[in-house]
Amino acid sequence: MSTSTRTPRTSRRLAALAVGLTAVLAASVGPSFAAPHPSTGPAVTRAAAAAAPSVVNPGNQVSLQYDHAYLPMTATGGAAPYTWSAVNLPTGASINSSTGLISGLLRGSGVRTVTVTAKDTTGAAASTTFTWRVIRDACPRC
């Protein structure tokens, strides 16, 4: 019986694969990252796009009527500073448009679905929605 080793053939295949892969990568990356050449004009540069903003969900809120609300909202990504807005806040609460802080004396009771939106300096906006339940205390002055 004769035995043959396949290492020379395998080595040649791997070498050919490496050369081919190098050629493909060089062709796809090529001039977009190359330095300017007098005959080709300026090099093409690619600016990284800023990530879209994302508003962090604070989770569902439960408060007692006549308590003071203090809920700082936060956002990530985008181009700070953000402009904040909110819809359907409990009665007596408001949001600071420059800091994102929701505060105020909660005067009404009930369950509300609140939507908070942050808009960055480029105009990109993101929002989050959560429920806020304000419970009427059985004895608010006891």
PDB file of all heavy atoms in Angstrom, residues 16-45:
ATOM      1  N   ALA A  16      -3.177  29.939  -1.702  1.00  0.00           N
ATOM      2  CA  ALA A  16      -3.992  30.534  -2.760  1.00  0.00           C
ATOM      3  C   ALA A  16      -5.211  31.239  -2.164  1.00  0.00           C
ATOM      4  O   ALA A  16      -5.604  32.322  -2.606  1.00  0.00           O
ATOM      5  CB  ALA A  16      -4.434  29.467  -3.757  1.00  0.00           C
ATOM      6  N   LEU A  17      -5.806  30.641  -1.138  1.00  0.00           N
ATOM      7  CA  LEU A  17      -6.947  31.254  -0.475  1.00  0.00           C
ATOM      8  C   LEU A  17      -6.538  32.569   0.188  1.00  0.00           C
ATOM      9  O   LEU A  17      -7.252  33.567   0.108  1.00  0.00           O
ATOM     10  CB  LEU A  17      -7.533  30.293   0.565  1.00  0.00           C
ATOM     11  CG  LEU A  17      -8.728  30.807   1.361  1.00  0.00           C
ATOM     12  CD1 LEU A  17      -9.902  31.101   0.436  1.00  0.00           C
ATOM     13  CD2 LEU A  17      -9.135  29.811   2.413  1.00  0.00           C
ATOM     14  N   ALA A  18      -5.394  32.585   0.839  1.00  0.00           N
ATOM     15  CA  ALA A  18      -4.918  33.805   1.494  1.00  0.00           C
ATOM     16  C   ALA A  18      -4.652  34.906   0.478  1.00  0.00           C
ATOM     17  O   ALA A  18      -5.008  36.068   0.699  1.00  0.00           O
ATOM     18  CB  ALA A  18      -3.662  33.511   2.307  1.00  0.00           C
ATOM     19  N   VAL A  19      -4.043  34.559  -0.645  1.00  0.00           N
ATOM     20  CA  VAL A  19      -3.773  35.557  -1.679  1.00  0.00           C
ATOM     21  C   VAL A  19      -5.084  36.078  -2.250  1.00  0.00           C
ATOM     22  O   VAL A  19      -5.259  37.285  -2.448  1.00  0.00           O
ATOM     23  CB  VAL A  19      -2.871  34.953  -2.790  1.00  0.00           C
ATOM     24  CG1 VAL A  19      -2.807  35.878  -3.987  1.00  0.00           C
ATOM     25  CG2 VAL A  19      -1.486  34.673  -2.241  1.00  0.00           C
ATOM     26  N   GLY A  20      -6.029  35.189  -2.504  1.00  0.00           N
ATOM     27  CA  GLY A  20      -7.328  35.606  -3.039  1.00  0.00           C
ATOM     28  C   GLY A  20      -8.087  36.487  -2.063  1.00  0.00           C
ATOM     29  O   GLY A  20      -8.686  37.495  -2.436  1.00  0.00           O
ATOM     30  N   LEU A  21      -8.064  36.129  -0.782  1.00  0.00           N
ATOM     31  CA  LEU A  21      -8.739  36.920   0.228  1.00  0.00           C
ATOM     32  C   LEU A  21      -8.107  38.304   0.357  1.00  0.00           C
ATOM     33  O   LEU A  21      -8.797  39.305   0.468  1.00  0.00           O
ATOM     34  CB  LEU A  21      -8.706  36.191   1.578  1.00  0.00           C
ATOM     35  CG  LEU A  21      -9.456  36.842   2.731  1.00  0.00           C
ATOM     36  CD1 LEU A  21     -10.919  37.015   2.373  1.00  0.00           C
ATOM     37  CD2 LEU A  21      -9.316  36.028   3.992  1.00  0.00           C
ATOM     38  N   THR A  22      -6.792  38.356   0.304  1.00  0.00           N
ATOM     39  CA  THR A  22      -6.097  39.643   0.360  1.00  0.00           C
ATOM     40  C   THR A  22      -6.494  40.520  -0.819  1.00  0.00           C
ATOM     41  O   THR A  22      -6.722  41.720  -0.672  1.00  0.00           O
ATOM     42  CB  THR A  22      -4.572  39.433   0.380  1.00  0.00           C
ATOM     43  OG1 THR A  22      -4.251  38.600   1.490  1.00  0.00           O
ATOM     44  CG2 THR A  22      -3.834  40.747   0.497  1.00  0.00           C
ATOM     45  N   ALA A  23      -6.608  39.934  -1.995  1.00  0.00           N
ATOM     46  CA  ALA A  23      -6.992  40.696  -3.183  1.00  0.00           C
ATOM     47  C   ALA A  23      -8.422  41.226  -3.060  1.00  0.00           C
ATOM     48  O   ALA A  23      -8.716  42.366  -3.421  1.00  0.00           O
ATOM     49  CB  ALA A  23      -6.850  39.836  -4.434  1.00  0.00           C
ATOM     50  N   VAL A  24      -9.322  40.407  -2.529  1.00  0.00           N
ATOM     51  CA  VAL A  24     -10.711  40.834  -2.367  1.00  0.00           C
ATOM     52  C   VAL A  24     -10.800  41.968  -1.353  1.00  0.00           C
ATOM     53  O   VAL A  24     -11.481  42.974  -1.571  1.00  0.00           O
ATOM     54  CB  VAL A  24     -11.597  39.639  -1.932  1.00  0.00           C
ATOM     55  CG1 VAL A  24     -12.968  40.113  -1.472  1.00  0.00           C
ATOM     56  CG2 VAL A  24     -11.732  38.660  -3.068  1.00  0.00           C
ATOM     57  N   LEU A  25     -10.110  41.827  -0.221  1.00  0.00           N
ATOM     58  CA  LEU A  25     -10.136  42.880   0.785  1.00  0.00           C
ATOM     59  C   LEU A  25      -9.517  44.165   0.271  1.00  0.00           C
ATOM     60  O   LEU A  25     -10.033  45.248   0.513  1.00  0.00           O
ATOM     61  CB  LEU A  25      -9.419  42.429   2.049  1.00  0.00           C
ATOM     62  CG  LEU A  25     -10.135  41.349   2.859  1.00  0.00           C
ATOM     63  CD1 LEU A  25      -9.256  40.886   4.006  1.00  0.00           C
ATOM     64  CD2 LEU A  25     -11.465  41.847   3.372  1.00  0.00           C
ATOM     65  N   ALA A  26      -8.433  44.069  -0.461  1.00  0.00           N
ATOM     66  CA  ALA A  26      -7.785  45.268  -0.991  1.00  0.00           C
ATOM     67  C   ALA A  26      -8.680  45.956  -2.013  1.00  0.00           C
ATOM     68  O   ALA A  26      -8.747  47.177  -2.067  1.00  0.00           O
ATOM     69  CB  ALA A  26      -6.444  44.904  -1.622  1.00  0.00           C
ATOM     70  N   ALA A  27      -9.394  45.182  -2.804  1.00  0.00           N
ATOM     71  CA  ALA A  27     -10.275  45.773  -3.812  1.00  0.00           C
ATOM     72  C   ALA A  27     -11.482  46.437  -3.165  1.00  0.00           C
ATOM     73  O   ALA A  27     -11.934  47.490  -3.594  1.00  0.00           O
ATOM     74  CB  ALA A  27     -10.731  44.705  -4.804  1.00  0.00           C
ATOM     75  N   SER A  28     -12.029  45.852  -2.080  1.00  0.00           N
ATOM     76  CA  SER A  28     -13.222  46.426  -1.468  1.00  0.00           C
ATOM     77  C   SER A  28     -12.896  47.637  -0.605  1.00  0.00           C
ATOM     78  O   SER A  28     -13.684  48.550  -0.493  1.00  0.00           O
ATOM     79  CB  SER A  28     -13.959  45.376  -0.638  1.00  0.00           C
ATOM     80  OG  SER A  28     -13.151  44.973   0.454  1.00  0.00           O
ATOM     81  N   VAL A  29     -11.724  47.664   0.017  1.00  0.00           N
ATOM     82  CA  VAL A  29     -11.344  48.786   0.860  1.00  0.00           C
ATOM     83  C   VAL A  29     -10.659  49.849   0.036  1.00  0.00           C
ATOM     84  O   VAL A  29     -10.954  51.019   0.157  1.00  0.00           O
ATOM     85  CB  VAL A  29     -10.448  48.300   2.018  1.00  0.00           C
ATOM     86  CG1 VAL A  29      -9.916  49.469   2.815  1.00  0.00           C
ATOM     87  CG2 VAL A  29     -11.203  47.351   2.910  1.00  0.00           C
ATOM     88  N   GLY A  30      -9.772  49.454  -0.798  1.00  0.00           N
ATOM     89  CA  GLY A  30      -9.000  50.250  -1.738  1.00  0.00           C
ATOM     90  C   GLY A  30      -9.015  51.747  -1.587  1.00  0.00           C
ATOM     91  O   GLY A  30      -8.582  52.282  -0.584  1.00  0.00           O
ATOM     92  N   PRO A  31      -9.518  52.475  -2.585  1.00  0.00           N
ATOM     93  CA  PRO A  31      -9.354  53.911  -2.647  1.00  0.00           C
ATOM     94  C   PRO A  31     -10.135  54.698  -1.598  1.00  0.00           C
ATOM     95  O   PRO A  31      -9.836  55.839  -1.363  1.00  0.00           O
ATOM     96  CB  PRO A  31      -9.824  54.269  -4.051  1.00  0.00           C
ATOM     97  CG  PRO A  31     -10.734  53.173  -4.436  1.00  0.00           C
ATOM     98  CD  PRO A  31     -10.217  51.956  -3.749  1.00  0.00           C
ATOM     99  N   SER A  32     -11.131  54.093  -0.948  1.00  0.00           N
ATOM    100  CA  SER A  32     -11.902  54.872   0.016  1.00  0.00           C
ATOM    101  C   SER A  32     -11.081  55.230   1.246  1.00  0.00           C
ATOM    102  O   SER A  32     -11.400  56.169   1.943  1.00  0.00           O
ATOM    103  CB  SER A  32     -13.170  54.120   0.424  1.00  0.00           C
ATOM    104  OG  SER A  32     -12.829  52.919   1.060  1.00  0.00           O
ATOM    105  N   PHE A  33     -10.006  54.487   1.512  1.00  0.00           N
ATOM    106  CA  PHE A  33      -9.161  54.787   2.652  1.00  0.00           C
ATOM    107  C   PHE A  33      -7.750  55.172   2.248  1.00  0.00           C
ATOM    108  O   PHE A  33      -6.891  55.311   3.084  1.00  0.00           O
ATOM    109  CB  PHE A  33      -9.112  53.580   3.604  1.00  0.00           C
ATOM    110  CG  PHE A  33     -10.440  53.310   4.241  1.00  0.00           C
ATOM    111  CD1 PHE A  33     -11.248  52.283   3.792  1.00  0.00           C
ATOM    112  CD2 PHE A  33     -10.904  54.097   5.274  1.00  0.00           C
ATOM    113  CE1 PHE A  33     -12.475  52.045   4.382  1.00  0.00           C
ATOM    114  CE2 PHE A  33     -12.123  53.868   5.855  1.00  0.00           C
ATOM    115  CZ  PHE A  33     -12.913  52.842   5.416  1.00  0.00           C
ATOM    116  N   ALA A  34      -7.519  55.336   0.968  1.00  0.00           N
ATOM    117  CA  ALA A  34      -6.184  55.655   0.481  1.00  0.00           C
ATOM    118  C   ALA A  34      -5.917  57.145   0.629  1.00  0.00           C
ATOM    119  O   ALA A  34      -6.817  57.960   0.685  1.00  0.00           O
ATOM    120  CB  ALA A  34      -6.054  55.251  -0.988  1.00  0.00           C
ATOM    121  N   ALA A  35      -4.635  57.477   0.654  1.00  0.00           N
ATOM    122  CA  ALA A  35      -4.235  58.882   0.701  1.00  0.00           C
ATOM    123  C   ALA A  35      -4.506  59.511  -0.659  1.00  0.00           C
ATOM    124  O   ALA A  35      -4.554  58.828  -1.673  1.00  0.00           O
ATOM    125  CB  ALA A  35      -2.759  58.978   1.045  1.00  0.00           C
ATOM    126  N   PRO A  36      -4.700  60.822  -0.702  1.00  0.00           N
ATOM    127  CA  PRO A  36      -4.962  61.465  -1.985  1.00  0.00           C
ATOM    128  C   PRO A  36      -3.770  61.302  -2.933  1.00  0.00           C
ATOM    129  O   PRO A  36      -2.625  61.319  -2.506  1.00  0.00           O
ATOM    130  CB  PRO A  36      -5.193  62.926  -1.634  1.00  0.00           C
ATOM    131  CG  PRO A  36      -4.797  63.103  -0.219  1.00  0.00           C
ATOM    132  CD  PRO A  36      -4.708  61.750   0.402  1.00  0.00           C
ATOM    133  N   HIS A  37      -4.085  61.127  -4.174  1.00  0.00           N
ATOM    134  CA  HIS A  37      -3.071  60.998  -5.215  1.00  0.00           C
ATOM    135  C   HIS A  37      -3.312  62.116  -6.210  1.00  0.00           C
ATOM    136  O   HIS A  37      -4.453  62.400  -6.557  1.00  0.00           O
ATOM    137  CB  HIS A  37      -3.188  59.616  -5.886  1.00  0.00           C
ATOM    138  CG  HIS A  37      -2.046  59.316  -6.787  1.00  0.00           C
ATOM    139  ND1 HIS A  37      -2.054  59.688  -8.094  1.00  0.00           N
ATOM    140  CD2 HIS A  37      -0.864  58.687  -6.558  1.00  0.00           C
ATOM    141  CE1 HIS A  37      -0.925  59.297  -8.665  1.00  0.00           C
ATOM    142  NE2 HIS A  37      -0.190  58.691  -7.743  1.00  0.00           N
ATOM    143  N   PRO A  38      -2.260  62.772  -6.681  1.00  0.00           N
ATOM    144  CA  PRO A  38      -2.475  63.916  -7.572  1.00  0.00           C
ATOM    145  C   PRO A  38      -3.335  63.601  -8.788  1.00  0.00           C
ATOM    146  O   PRO A  38      -4.083  64.441  -9.245  1.00  0.00           O
ATOM    147  CB  PRO A  38      -1.067  64.316  -7.988  1.00  0.00           C
ATOM    148  CG  PRO A  38      -0.133  63.669  -7.031  1.00  0.00           C
ATOM    149  CD  PRO A  38      -0.850  62.518  -6.426  1.00  0.00           C
ATOM    150  N   SER A  39      -3.267  62.400  -9.297  1.00  0.00           N
ATOM    151  CA  SER A  39      -4.017  62.102 -10.511  1.00  0.00           C
ATOM    152  C   SER A  39      -5.458  61.694 -10.237  1.00  0.00           C
ATOM    153  O   SER A  39      -6.287  61.719 -11.127  1.00  0.00           O
ATOM    154  CB  SER A  39      -3.313  61.001 -11.306  1.00  0.00           C
ATOM    155  OG  SER A  39      -3.316  59.800 -10.539  1.00  0.00           O
ATOM    156  N   THR A  40      -5.766  61.304  -9.010  1.00  0.00           N
ATOM    157  CA  THR A  40      -7.124  60.832  -8.720  1.00  0.00           C
ATOM    158  C   THR A  40      -7.938  61.833  -7.928  1.00  0.00           C
ATOM    159  O   THR A  40      -9.117  61.620  -7.696  1.00  0.00           O
ATOM    160  CB  THR A  40      -7.090  59.506  -7.937  1.00  0.00           C
ATOM    161  OG1 THR A  40      -6.396  59.736  -6.707  1.00  0.00           O
ATOM    162  CG2 THR A  40      -6.437  58.414  -8.735  1.00  0.00           C
ATOM    163  N   GLY A  41      -7.346  62.885  -7.452  1.00  0.00           N
ATOM    164  CA  GLY A  41      -8.097  63.869  -6.681  1.00  0.00           C
ATOM    165  C   GLY A  41      -8.109  63.522  -5.213  1.00  0.00           C
ATOM    166  O   GLY A  41      -7.361  62.656  -4.756  1.00  0.00           O
ATOM    167  N   PRO A  42      -8.971  64.167  -4.443  1.00  0.00           N
ATOM    168  CA  PRO A  42      -8.979  63.933  -2.997  1.00  0.00           C
ATOM    169  C   PRO A  42      -9.502  62.547  -2.652  1.00  0.00           C
ATOM    170  O   PRO A  42     -10.297  61.963  -3.379  1.00  0.00           O
ATOM    171  CB  PRO A  42      -9.913  65.017  -2.462  1.00  0.00           C
ATOM    172  CG  PRO A  42     -10.776  65.381  -3.616  1.00  0.00           C
ATOM    173  CD  PRO A  42      -9.936  65.160  -4.850  1.00  0.00           C
ATOM    174  N   ALA A  43      -9.032  62.031  -1.538  1.00  0.00           N
ATOM    175  CA  ALA A  43      -9.477  60.722  -1.072  1.00  0.00           C
ATOM    176  C   ALA A  43     -10.904  60.827  -0.546  1.00  0.00           C
ATOM    177  O   ALA A  43     -11.339  61.875  -0.069  1.00  0.00           O
ATOM    178  CB  ALA A  43      -8.560  60.213   0.036  1.00  0.00           C
ATOM    179  N   VAL A  44     -11.610  59.746  -0.635  1.00  0.00           N
ATOM    180  CA  VAL A  44     -12.970  59.686  -0.115  1.00  0.00           C
ATOM    181  C   VAL A  44     -12.874  59.408   1.371  1.00  0.00           C
ATOM    182  O   VAL A  44     -12.174  58.498   1.795  1.00  0.00           O
ATOM    183  CB  VAL A  44     -13.766  58.568  -0.818  1.00  0.00           C
ATOM    184  CG1 VAL A  44     -15.151  58.444  -0.220  1.00  0.00           C
ATOM    185  CG2 VAL A  44     -13.836  58.833  -2.299  1.00  0.00           C
ATOM    186  N   THR A  45     -13.555  60.190   2.159  1.00  0.00           N
ATOM    187  CA  THR A  45     -13.581  59.942   3.596  1.00  0.00           C
ATOM    188  C   THR A  45     -14.993  59.602   4.010  1.00  0.00           C
ATOM    189  O   THR A  45     -15.955  60.121   3.456  1.00  0.00           O
ATOM    190  CB  THR A  45     -13.093  61.174   4.395  1.00  0.00           C
ATOM    191  OG1 THR A  45     -13.915  62.273   4.060  1.00  0.00           O
ATOM    192  CG2 THR A  45     -11.645  61.494   4.074  1.00  0.00           C
TER     193      THR A  45
END
